[in-house]
């Protein structure tokens, strides 16, 4: 009997012109967002690969130079796009795409899409994730708000119960029927996205991408299930269809617009971030306590030079087998890198605390559970951004210290000499490997638990409420 109710709801939904109009509109938006996302991915990925190849080539083609000039010449690291970012761009548009790598300084990632775009980007991007998170729930609300109220208003609910079926069986039948209708709208767009992902040569297909896409689809299936169950429960507990619709729209506004904004403001108030000027001033102040490789009169530099003379048992700098300047640069770089890492770690920790508040609110609001989960699976969340930032800094530090080691090995009088141009072709260039799902999983645990608790809790509590709902 329950399956008969599900089939009846599914067929009735397909015959409803309002559903047809809304579903065609949502499906068109989903398909358009998928195709636009793929085109945007291809353009940005091609541009970044070309830029990375160009700067790597320019770095390797430098003429004969002193190693420290090469360290100051520097290079760029461009963040590649993750494959699933065509479905959920996450914070990619606001976090920057490239970082300048140079001696003595750790720069932040700049040149974000938001910096180079017009004001329209402030209103958000039309991505697959936006449609799935905001518009499909609206479709579900307009689909399900009359699930019980219309049966009660037309008097068919009592006729249905007279057949010996319970209220919770009626509810499950309706939930199954509506779930089929929603799947009919969403599945084509996700199938198209999967086809584009696994057939395009520009995408690095593999088990990790398959697992991420599978979890992406499963997560949204749970998210939609929550809205369907919630809408059916609200419909069962309201006296009229109008009251059910108003209640559901109010909950949608509260969960998808008001709470996320309020949570973001709360996080920024509780954990304020320092400005770039404040951070630069603090780093400059702390850097004064270390060795300054460019200041020969620095007392700490003099002490280091005296230690070298003692270590090699000579009485003058000219007799040293190493370049004093190279050793000073090595020590200076190690100290300044530590100062920068401490300040960037503190700044990232502040952002993590702000984000953590929103993650915990996911236990109260399903929208704030699916959002970080979706971004994390797409590789476009804050954790993946920090992974790139740290990889770029690790490469910069190794490169500069390798150049400092070359300078050190040149011995006394290195400032008047240069190394052959072929030296730079032997240095490794920046190549970024995106983290796997196993690395990202600990960051996604809380949103996953929140969604599962919502699914189990709402199903149990909702059906208990439906079982006690009045029939008239």
């Amino acid at each position: 009997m329950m399956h008969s109710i599900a089939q009846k709801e599914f067929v009735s939904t397909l015959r409803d012109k309002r559903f047809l109009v809304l579903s065609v509109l949502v499906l068109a938006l989903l398909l358009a967002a998928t195709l636009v996302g793929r085109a945007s991915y291809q353009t940005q990925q091609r541009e970044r690969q070309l830029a990375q190849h160009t700067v790597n080539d320019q770095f390797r083609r430098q003429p004969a130079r002193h190693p420290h000039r090469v360290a100051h010449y520097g290079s760029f690291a461009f963040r590649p796009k993750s494959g699933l970012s065509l479905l959920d761009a996450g914070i990619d548009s606001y976090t920057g795409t490239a970082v300048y790598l140079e001696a003595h300084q750790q720069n932040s990632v700049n040149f974000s899409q938001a910096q180079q775009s017009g004001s329209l980007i402030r209103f958000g991007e039309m991505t697959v994730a936006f449609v799935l998170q905001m518009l499909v729930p609206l479709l579900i609300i307009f689909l399900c708000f009359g699930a019980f109220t219309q049966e009660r208003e037309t008097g068919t609910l009592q006729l249905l119960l007279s057949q010996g079926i319970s209220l919770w069986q009626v509810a499950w039948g309706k939930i199954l029927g509506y779930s089929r209708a929603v799947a009919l709208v969403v599945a084509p767009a996700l199938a198209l996205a999967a086809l584009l992902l696994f057939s395009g040569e520009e995408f690095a297909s593999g088990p990790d991408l398959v697992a991420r896409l599978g979890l992406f689809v499963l997560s949204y299936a749970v998210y939609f299930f929550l809205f369907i169950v919630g809408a059916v429960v609200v419909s069962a507990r309201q006296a009229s269809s109008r009251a059910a619709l108003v209640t559901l729209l109010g909950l949608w506004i509260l969960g998808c617009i008001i709470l996320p904004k309020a949570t973001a403001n709360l996080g920024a108030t509780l954990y304020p971030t320092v400005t770039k000027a404040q951070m630069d001033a603090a780093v400059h102040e702390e850097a004064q306590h270390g060795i300054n490789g460019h200041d020969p009169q620095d007392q700490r530099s003099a002490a280091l030079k005296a230690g070298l003379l003692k270590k090699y048992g000579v009485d003058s700098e000219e007799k040293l087998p190493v370049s004093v300047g190279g050793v000073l640069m090595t020590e200076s770089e190690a100290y300044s890198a530590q100062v920068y890492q401490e300040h960037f770690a503190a700044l990232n920790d502040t952002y993590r605390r702000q984000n953590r508040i929103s993650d915990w609110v996911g236990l109260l609001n399903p929208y704030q559970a699916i959002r970080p989960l979706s971004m994390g699976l797409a590789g476009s969340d804050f954790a993946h951004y920090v992974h790139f930032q740290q990889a770029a800094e690790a490469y910069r530090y190794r490169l500069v210290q390798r150049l400092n080691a070359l300078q050190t090995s040149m011995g006394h009088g290195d400032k008047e000499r240069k190394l052959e141009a072929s030296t730079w072709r032997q240095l490794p260039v920046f190549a970024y490997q995106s983290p796997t799902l196993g690395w990202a999983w600990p960051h996604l645990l809380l949103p996953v638990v929140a969604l599962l608790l919502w699914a189990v809790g709402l199903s149990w509590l909702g059906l208990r409420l439906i079982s006690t709902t009045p029939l008239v």
Side-chain angles (χ1 to χ4, degrees), residues 169-188:
Q169 287 176 311
V170 174
W172 271 117
K174 290 179 177 294
I175 290 169
L176 288 175
Y178 293 138
S179 298
R180 291 181 194 172
V182 173
L184 197 64
V185 177
V186 176

Side-chain angles (χ1 to χ4, degrees), residues 15 29 126 146 154 178 206 216 286 315 372 377 434:
R15 291 174 178 169
L29 287 174
M126 179 58 74
T154 55
Y178 293 138
F216 188 88
E286 288 192 33
D315 56 3
L377 291 171
S434 300

Side-chain angles (χ1 to χ4, degrees), residues 106 279 282-290 332-345:
Q106 179 181 349
M279 184 170 165
V283 169
H284 180 74
E285 171 66 22
E286 288 192 33
Q288 300 302 313
H289 301 297
S332 172
E333 191 62 44
Y335 182 81
S336 63
Q338 183 181 354
V339 172
Y340 271 104
Q341 285 175 11
E342 289 174 356
H343 281 270
F344 269 98

Side-chain angles (χ1 to χ4, degrees), residues 38 41-42 45 49 196 199-204:
R38 182 182 188 247
Y41 170 89
Q42 288 178 316
Q45 184 73 342
Q49 287 177 342
L196 295 176
S199 62
E201 295 180 356
E202 65 275 20
F203 297 103

Side-chain angles (χ1 to χ4, degrees), residues 13-25 139:
T13 301
L14 295 185
R15 291 174 178 169
D16 189 338
K17 291 183 179 178
R18 293 172 302 176
F19 171 76
L20 286 178
V21 172
L22 288 174
S23 60
V24 167
L25 181 61
L139 174 68

